[in-house]
């Protein structure tokens, strides 16, 4: 099991939004991101995926 420590008084903030190239059937994914080496607060980045343009797996 991995253990990590968040910065003191850390608050998860809104991150970047990465829009899909096309506007078909869109699905949004929120990814929790934290880099302990930078000392910044964690964030949620949002990614949009066009379900009509991708295959059964997203990499």
């Amino acid at each position: 099991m991995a253990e990590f420590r968040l910065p003191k008084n850390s608050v998860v903030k809104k991150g970047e939004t990465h829009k899909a190239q096309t506007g078909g059937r869109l699905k949004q994914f929120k990814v929790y991101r934290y880099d302990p080496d930078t000392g910044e607060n964690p964030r949620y980045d949002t990614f949009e995926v066009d379900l009509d343009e991708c295959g059964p797996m997203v990499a």
Side-chain angles (χ1 to χ4, degrees), residues 30-45:
K30 288 186 179 180
V31 178
Y32 179 86
R33 298 187 128 173
Y34 172 66
D35 184 1
D37 295 333
T38 64
E40 293 181 17
N41 284 337
R43 67 184 190 274
Y44 278 110
D45 285 348

Side-chain angles (χ1 to χ4, degrees), residues 12-18 27-33 43-49:
V12 178
K13 61 181 183 175
K14 184 178 180 180
E16 299 178 21
T17 299
H18 304 274
K27 177 76 175 178
Q28 286 188 346
F29 295 92
K30 288 186 179 180
V31 178
Y32 179 86
R33 298 187 128 173
R43 67 184 190 274
Y44 278 110
D45 285 348
T46 303
F47 294 87
E48 286 185 351
V49 176

